Amino acid sequence: MAKEKDVTTETEILNAAKRVFQQKGMDGARMQEIADEAGINKALLHYYFRSKQLLFEAVFKSLFFVLAPEINKILNDDSSIFDKIKNFTNNYISFVIKHPFLPNFIIQELNRNPEFITKLITNQYFPNIENFKNTVKKEINEGIIKPIKPEQLFINVLALNIFPFVSKPILKEFLKLNDKQYHQLLEDRKTEVADFIINSIKI
Amino acid sequence: MAKEKDVTTETEILNAAKRVFQQKGMDGARMQEIADEAGINKALLHYYFRSKQLLFEAVFKSLFFVLAPEINKILNDDSSIFDKIKNFTNNYISFVIKHPFLPNFIIQELNRNPEFITKLITNQYFPNIENFKNTVKKEINEGIIKPIKPEQLFINVLALNIFPFVSKPILKEFLKLNDKQYHQLLEDRKTEVADFIINSIKI
DNA sequence: ATTTGGTTTAACCATTTGGTTAACAAATCT
DNA sequence: AGATTTGTTAACCAAATGGTTAAACCAAAT
């Protein structure tokens, strides 16, 4: 048997499935399209992953844990809040420009089936907010930043970074920008967003 | 013929379709489910709307122009930026608590088919940002707020208001909150968000 | 060379799904 | 009232779709 080829085919299927599921979602994706994308027969999908549901779950888990480390960058380092925000904003926007369908895919599929997230939370890389909360509280006590609930600050940071990607089609029309102009606006946000947040919370 | 009943049935179908499409999306929705939801035969859907695609477009347009006036509230009034932001934040969060699937539906379907938005922009109620831009520029010149690109401020306002609804399932898990706690957090944002923005841009 | 085991495919199957048809029911018109 | 138009339904249809099967393939072990 071909152990080497084995892994290659399974990976090829998973990669093809990632591409298709990310763009079409669970409901919009077709097994035939995934097979075509992988350049193999449809029956092979079932040979390796049994069903569409199981293939989807493999894809979702894999993609979720591509995104999770990006979130952890703001949660699990020991720098100051200002540095956390600056680094995260700069990194995250670069990251999503490379994975433009990823945030929307995660959000859409978790809205479709919210219970699914319970299958992820046991994973050691599932983002944990405790360290971030402690840092915020500490800097509030030290008089570095204004009082704010850490949860609200966390949501604000994510919102300002993620939303412009998720809502790109509608924002482009509201602002009457073409693709190039919108991309420039996102580039500008690498520093704009951090400044906006820091201006709001610094004393 | 039953003019009265006529309108009632068509409206009933549209309302049922709105409920189903909002929760399941175009790809996940089934004509049979819409018919069941409306309490009528599946053939009637085609009698009134010809095809799933046309029914969907009717639903999408209708729902888009439920949301649009909310966006216009921040764009087309003559109050100061601070008041615009305060009013919008308070109103919008109340509005979406009443229509929890709406923002996600619009975002999801426009990502699925971005060209569709061209069918909306000719409508007189399609949000126009000019007035907002002028007000921001004016208040910057008057030294009331710090320099910021109006487009960036607009995105920030929308992001901070809309994102917590769109990402509810994942944020709930990140923050380890139950439904009631998350709802309280959203209630708090009615004032928190406006304060956060105003703190950032005021001189 | 033959066997053996996993790998891959073409063909097939059952169900779902959007859509149609033809007949029936109920208003409206004359 | 009788004819005509509009509204509604049950039954049906063709295509799409997820999934299965049996046979072919192929590399390694014997």
Side-chain angles (χ1 to χ4, degrees):
Chain A
M1 64 185 144
K3 273 276 167 61
E4 178 92 15
K5 192 88 191 309
D6 215 356
V7 177
T8 302
T9 301
E10 188 169 342
T11 309
E12 194 55 58
I13 291 175
L14 202 60
N15 286 337
K18 283 180 190 173
R19 292 192 290 273
V20 174
F21 275 130
Q22 268 190 100
Q23 295 206 40
K24 307 270 175 100
M26 171 66 172
D27 291 332
R30 295 289 164 257
M31 293 297 267
Q32 187 60 57
E33 187 179 356
I34 295 172
D36 293 346
E37 179 84 17
I40 48 116
N41 186 288
K42 184 162 66 86
L44 256 199
L45 300 182
H46 293 92
Y47 177 78
Y48 281 102
F49 291 91
R50 285 244 322 271
S51 68
K52 185 184 183 184
Q53 178 65 26
L54 287 175
L55 176 56
F56 172 79
E57 290 183 14
V59 164
F60 187 89
K61 279 183 192 169
S62 174
L63 288 178
F64 184 85
F65 289 110
V66 170
L67 183 62
E70 299 300 316
I71 307 293
N72 279 324
K73 281 181 185 166
I74 195 172
L75 297 175
N76 296 334
D77 76 319
D78 292 327
S79 53
S80 72
I81 288 292
F82 292 165
D83 281 347
K84 276 176 193 269
I85 291 169
K86 280 180 195 161
N87 290 335
F88 177 74
T89 299
N90 196 351
N91 286 339
Y92 185 83
I93 295 179
S94 302
F95 170 78
V96 185
I97 286 174
K98 279 185 289 183
H99 300 264
F101 298 103
L102 189 47
N104 198 52
F105 171 72
I106 301 292
I107 287 170
Q108 175 183 333
E109 295 302 330
L110 283 181
N111 273 298
R112 195 177 60 84
N113 182 11
E115 301 87 55
F116 191 66
I117 203 167
T118 58
K119 294 185 181 174
L120 308 171
I121 56 180
T122 52
N123 187 293
Q124 61 168 318
Y125 295 111
F126 191 87
N128 183 306
I129 201 183
E130 286 308 314
N131 179 19
F132 179 82
K133 280 166 77 169
N134 291 335
T135 311
V136 172
K137 286 176 191 164
K138 179 167 147 283
E139 298 205 12
I140 291 172
N141 285 337
E142 290 171 354
I144 299 171
I145 61 174
K146 293 180 194 158
I148 183 171
K149 283 226 184 78
E151 289 87 351
Q152 299 285 8
L153 179 57
F154 177 66
I155 292 179
N156 292 350
V157 173
L158 289 190
L160 291 167
N161 279 290
I162 297 176
F163 183 79
F165 293 96
V166 171
S167 298
K168 176 178 169 185
I170 201 171
L171 287 178
K172 263 181 64 183
E173 293 304 322
F174 282 169
L175 303 175
K176 299 194 186 106
L177 302 177
N178 61 32
D179 265 316
K180 195 179 165 194
Q181 291 169 320
Y182 196 77
H183 187 275
Q184 181 57 53
L185 183 142
L186 292 176
E187 282 290 334
D188 294 345
R189 286 182 76 81
K190 285 184 184 174
T191 53
E192 288 272 340
V193 166
D195 291 345
F196 187 84
I197 299 169
I198 290 171
N199 271 344
S200 181
I201 60 175
K202 75 165 178 236
I203 296 217
Chain B
M1 65 183 146
K3 272 277 168 63
E4 180 92 12
K5 191 90 191 309
D6 213 355
V7 176
T8 303
T9 300
E10 188 169 341
T11 310
E12 195 55 59
I13 291 175
L14 202 59
N15 286 337
K18 282 179 190 173
R19 292 191 290 272
V20 174
F21 275 129
Q22 267 190 101
Q23 296 206 40
K24 307 270 175 100
M26 171 67 172
D27 291 332
R30 295 289 163 258
M31 293 298 268
Q32 186 59 57
E33 188 180 355
I34 295 172
D36 293 346
E37 179 85 16
I40 47 112
N41 186 288
K42 183 162 66 86
L44 257 199
L45 300 182
H46 293 91
Y47 177 80
Y48 282 102
F49 292 92
R50 285 245 319 273
S51 69
K52 186 185 184 186
Q53 178 64 26
L54 287 175
L55 175 56
F56 172 79
E57 291 184 13
V59 164
F60 188 89
K61 281 183 191 169
S62 174
L63 288 178
F64 183 86
F65 289 109
V66 170
L67 184 62
E70 299 299 316
I71 307 294
N72 280 325
K73 281 181 185 167
I74 195 174
L75 297 175
N76 297 332
D77 75 320
D78 292 327
S79 54
S80 71
I81 288 292
F82 293 165
D83 281 347
K84 276 176 192 269
I85 290 169
K86 280 180 194 160
N87 290 335
F88 177 73
T89 299
N90 196 351
N91 285 339
Y92 185 82
I93 295 179
S94 302
F95 170 77
V96 185
I97 286 175
K98 279 185 289 183
H99 300 265
F101 299 103
L102 189 47
N104 198 53
F105 170 73
I106 301 291
I107 287 170
Q108 176 184 333
E109 295 303 328
L110 283 181
N111 272 298
R112 197 177 59 85
N113 182 11
E115 301 87 54
F116 190 66
I117 204 169
T118 57
K119 294 185 182 175
L120 307 171
I121 55 180
T122 53
N123 187 295
Q124 60 168 318
Y125 295 112
F126 191 87
N128 183 305
I129 202 185
E130 286 309 313
N131 179 19
F132 179 82
K133 280 166 76 169
N134 291 336
T135 311
V136 172
K137 287 177 190 164
K138 179 169 146 281
E139 298 204 12
I140 291 172
N141 285 337
E142 291 171 354
I144 298 171
I145 61 174
K146 293 179 194 158
I148 183 172
K149 281 226 187 80
E151 289 88 351
Q152 298 285 8
L153 179 57
F154 178 66
I155 291 179
N156 292 351
V157 173
L158 289 190
L160 291 167
N161 279 291
I162 298 176
F163 184 79
F165 292 96
V166 171
S167 297
K168 177 180 170 184
I170 201 170
L171 288 177
K172 264 182 63 183
E173 294 304 323
F174 282 168
L175 302 175
K176 298 193 186 103
L177 302 178
N178 61 31
D179 266 315
K180 197 180 163 192
Q181 290 168 320
Y182 195 77
H183 187 273
Q184 180 58 53
L185 184 142
L186 292 177
E187 282 290 333
D188 294 345
R189 286 181 76 81
K190 285 184 185 174
T191 54
E192 288 271 340
V193 166
D195 291 346
F196 187 84
I197 299 169
I198 290 171
N199 271 343
S200 181
I201 60 175
K202 76 166 177 235
I203 296 215

